[in-house]
Amino acid sequence: MASIAVYSVKGGVGKTTLSVNLAWCASAISRRKTLLWDLDASNGSGFLLGVDAKKKRSADSMFAEGSDPEKLIQPTAYGGLDLLPADESIRALDRQLDRLGKKKRLAKLTETLGKNYDRIIFDCPPVLNELSAQVIRAADLVIVPLPPSPLSARAFEVVVEEVRGIGKGHPPILPVLSMLDLRRSLHKAARETNPTWPAIPLASAVEQCASLRQPVGAFAPRSPAARAIAQLWTAIERKLASK
């Protein structure tokens, strides 16, 4: 099992859309049993996959001692892809983790869930707190989407500092240029500066994920965006295999 965090301290970078599409690639392309774990209170991943959180049990309940997180998992319309959805209770999760005083609670839950999954992908909220620290401790790889802008570059530096702050055993970081439009001079310059970074184009197919509530590969498999995301997934698998 390998766990992958899609993380940025900056909102609006395409993090949730990327998480959903990578999870779809893991299950559909690599044929790996995959769990997408939404840790953002907005439940964006659930929305994009057409899955609503269960009302009987709050998402933060899985962190309590003796809880069974598998009771919260829901299937999606895609074979081999399940979702652990979020809800408003996640907003208080940072305080709950502080009260528990266990720095690897999320890592332990990931290890337990990993008995049934080959890949676990975290859709992380844009925060810098105990929750983000626990995600980084649990992750084997951190994906950082970066729309070409000075603010995104600064956000990337913050993520690098946080990941390295975990210590010697911190997970590797893979930056990804997202929403790339090579007609714009700033975007073109960013691409020329970082030619080896994976890139996801600014495309209508990506924007349609929200209106159709489907991953790009499911409704536009031959689109440039779908190909770029599939290439990114291949790079992720290669990086995981080299660990």
Side-chain angles (χ1 to χ4, degrees):
M1 189 277 292
S3 53
I4 302 152
V6 182
Y7 175 56
S8 175
V9 295
K10 185 177 184 298
V13 298
K15 172 184 56 60
T16 293
T17 302
L18 186 58
S19 299
V20 168
N21 281 281
L22 290 178
W24 182 87
C25 286
S27 62
I29 296 176
S30 295
R31 301 295 180 183
R32 297 187 182 275
K33 187 70 185 298
T34 303
L35 177 66
L36 177 56
W37 189 344
D38 195 342
L39 289 165
D40 195 326
S42 64
N43 191 35
S45 289
F47 175 81
L48 291 182
L49 288 171
V51 178
D52 296 319
K54 292 180 179 178
K55 301 300 182 184
K56 292 182 179 180
R57 195 181 297 267
S58 62
D60 67 343
S61 64
M62 77 185 76
F63 289 88
E65 290 292 342
S67 64
D68 183 1
E70 292 186 13
K71 291 182 177 179
L72 291 166
I73 293 174
Q74 297 182 238
T76 71
Y78 309 99
L81 175 57
D82 292 340
L83 174 73
L84 191 47
D87 57 37
E88 286 293 325
S89 68
I90 294 290
R91 294 191 186 280
L93 185 54
D94 183 54
R95 293 193 296 274
Q96 183 179 351
L97 290 170
D98 274 336
R99 287 195 301 272
L100 283 171
K102 295 186 177 181
K103 300 298 183 182
K104 294 186 177 182
R105 177 60 177 156
L106 193 142
K108 291 292 186 183
L109 289 171
T110 302
E111 184 180 349
T112 299
L113 291 166
K115 295 174 183 177
N116 297 320
Y117 294 95
D118 304 311
R119 296 287 180 263
I120 295 178
I121 297 177
F122 303 109
D123 178 10
C124 306
V127 295
L128 193 65
N129 56 18
E130 177 59 25
L131 175 57
S132 61
Q134 293 224 6
V135 168
I136 291 167
R137 291 188 193 102
D140 294 301
L141 178 65
V142 178
I143 308 297
V144 185
L146 296 164
S149 75
L151 284 177
S152 291
R154 174 56 190 148
F156 180 57
E157 292 172 5
V158 172
V159 172
V160 170
E161 290 171 6
E162 183 183 15
V163 172
R164 289 178 176 171
I166 295 299
K168 187 177 180 180
H170 69 75
I173 305 167
L174 181 61
V176 176
L177 289 171
S178 64
M179 307 178 187
L180 185 67
D181 184 352
L182 292 177
R183 295 170 299 180
R184 302 180 184 180
S185 57
L186 184 63
H187 290 219
K188 188 176 180 180
R191 189 58 175 149
E192 290 170 350
T193 303
N194 306 289
T196 62
W197 288 5
I200 308 298
L202 179 68
S204 59
V206 177
E207 294 173 348
Q208 284 181 294
C209 284
S211 57
L212 298 177
R213 301 183 74 179
Q214 297 179 43
V216 176
F219 67 84
R222 296 183 181 179
S223 66
R227 290 197 299 269
I229 294 167
Q231 288 169 1
L232 169 57
W233 178 251
T234 299
I236 289 171
E237 288 278 34
R238 191 180 301 123
K239 202 167 186 68
L240 290 171
S242 68
K243 284 195 66 180

